[in-house]
Amino acid sequence: MTTRIDQRFADLKKEGRAALVTFVTAGDPDYATSLEIIKGLPKAGADIIEFGMPFTDPMADGPAIQEAGLRALHAGQTLIKTLDLVRDFRKSDDRTPVVLMGYYNPIYIHGVERFLKDAKAAGVDGLIIVDLPPEEDDELCLPAIKAGLNFIRLATPTTDDKRAPTVLRNTSGFVYYVSVLGITGTKAPDLKSVEQNVTRLKGHTKLPIAVGFGVKTAEQARSIAKSADGVVVGSALVNAVKTSLKAGKATPETAKAVHRLVSEIAQGVRS
């Protein structure tokens, strides 16, 4: 079964360019503004959208995404509302792939079978669950694949040739290569190391490889797009939300600030 993610990467391969994958926290700074941001991402240049599922203990995320998660939670965002957000987005966009990114705890509480059914019905295409290792594939990965969702795995600079086959075994959609060690958005990627590791991982998989963590500028995106099949931008967009707020609330500038930055980075990916 071909998913929207598979189709998008196949289309971009024909175009001869990398994908721009954009991450925003669902419900940040509030539901209505979050929907406005997400609806404008494809026009601004996003090829795939990751919705971050707010969680109280986001261990892999840096300060920017942690703060975004707290803003969303304080505004009343829940897992059910995140699925509602996908559903509302799908009313006007049936083509752009949507990935939910986050942690297993909210899914476990919702119930795996119920979650997969609800996610598929809402229009979700893939999952990135950062705290479920491949040794736990029976828990969510295999049921997700059976339900018709891509399960996207993270590979890191420490995913050596011995570990890579285990990590990639049940991965689908694309591989998310974490370009730096540590949490999101705190360091700039070492572009030479990224190129070497992407090339090495391509020896283990035919899946597209998208590179994220620390990408902030069009120039970085341009450099990464030379060797990778996709570039992921997250913390920079979440920071654009934060700097647009007044007293913690959305302003008319909030969605525009995110869309402007996506347009800039998209030009880097496309050049």
Side-chain angles (χ1 to χ4, degrees):
M1 179 185 164
T2 302
T3 65
R4 287 187 189 93
I5 297 170
D6 300 328
Q7 190 61 55
R8 181 55 52 96
F9 275 110
D11 291 345
L12 293 178
K13 192 173 183 181
K14 286 177 193 168
E15 285 182 37
R17 71 168 177 87
L20 176 58
V21 184
T22 56
F23 170 97
V24 289
T25 299
D28 174 35
D30 58 70
Y31 189 96
T33 308
S34 182
L35 182 59
E36 184 187 357
I37 290 169
I38 288 160
K39 284 171 95 169
L41 289 174
K43 190 177 177 184
D47 297 299
I48 296 170
I49 304 173
E50 292 177 7
F51 290 42
M53 298 183 284
F55 180 50
T56 50
D57 188 21
M59 61 186 183
D61 293 311
I65 294 176
Q66 285 189 21
E67 287 175 24
L70 285 174
R71 284 195 299 269
L73 290 168
H74 287 152
Q77 192 69 11
T78 62
L79 179 58
I80 289 170
K81 283 188 178 178
T82 297
L83 295 173
D84 288 341
L85 203 58
V86 179
R87 206 173 281 107
D88 283 342
F89 172 74
R90 283 281 174 239
K91 288 174 184 173
S92 58
D93 188 320
D94 193 43
R95 295 189 63 195
T96 305
V98 167
V99 176
L100 296 185
M101 184 171 186
Y103 299 85
Y104 184 48
N105 183 277
I107 294 170
Y108 178 77
I109 289 168
H110 192 81
V112 169
E113 193 177 327
R114 180 185 166 210
F115 169 76
L116 292 173
K117 185 182 174 186
D118 292 349
K120 186 73 179 167
V124 174
D125 303 294
L127 303 174
I128 302 173
I129 308 301
V130 300
D131 55 347
L132 273 182
E135 287 76 14
E136 305 296 334
D137 274 357
D138 289 345
E139 197 78 26
L140 181 64
C141 171
L142 296 179
I145 293 167
K146 191 176 177 184
L149 297 170
N150 288 130
F151 199 86
I152 298 144
R153 188 81 68 194
L154 302 179
T156 73
T158 60
T159 307
D160 59 18
D161 290 330
K162 187 179 176 185
R163 178 67 174 163
T166 304
V167 170
L168 299 172
R169 184 173 57 226
N170 293 315
T171 303
S172 64
F174 65 93
V175 178
Y176 188 138
Y177 177 69
V178 175
S179 62
V180 296
L181 291 172
I183 53 178
T184 58
T186 53
K187 299 179 216 167
D190 176 341
L191 298 176
K192 190 176 179 184
S193 166
V194 166
E195 186 179 354
Q196 289 171 346
N197 279 310
V198 167
T199 302
R200 184 175 59 78
L201 283 169
K202 283 188 173 181
H204 291 278
T205 182
K206 291 180 179 174
L207 290 171
I209 298 176
V211 176
F213 277 50
V215 179
K216 291 183 170 67
T217 66
E219 193 52 52
Q220 287 173 327
R222 185 181 294 115
S223 298
I224 289 169
K226 288 175 186 172
S227 60
D229 305 292
V231 180
V232 187
V233 182
S235 294
L237 303 184
V238 169
N239 274 325
V241 172
K242 181 184 175 182
T243 54
S244 75
L245 303 178
K246 271 196 176 169
K249 301 292 182 186
T251 67
E253 188 61 22
T254 301
K256 292 176 189 170
V258 176
H259 298 152
R260 264 199 309 272
L261 183 53
V262 170
S263 294
E264 285 170 27
I265 294 172
Q267 285 173 0
V269 171
R270 283 161 170 76
S271 64

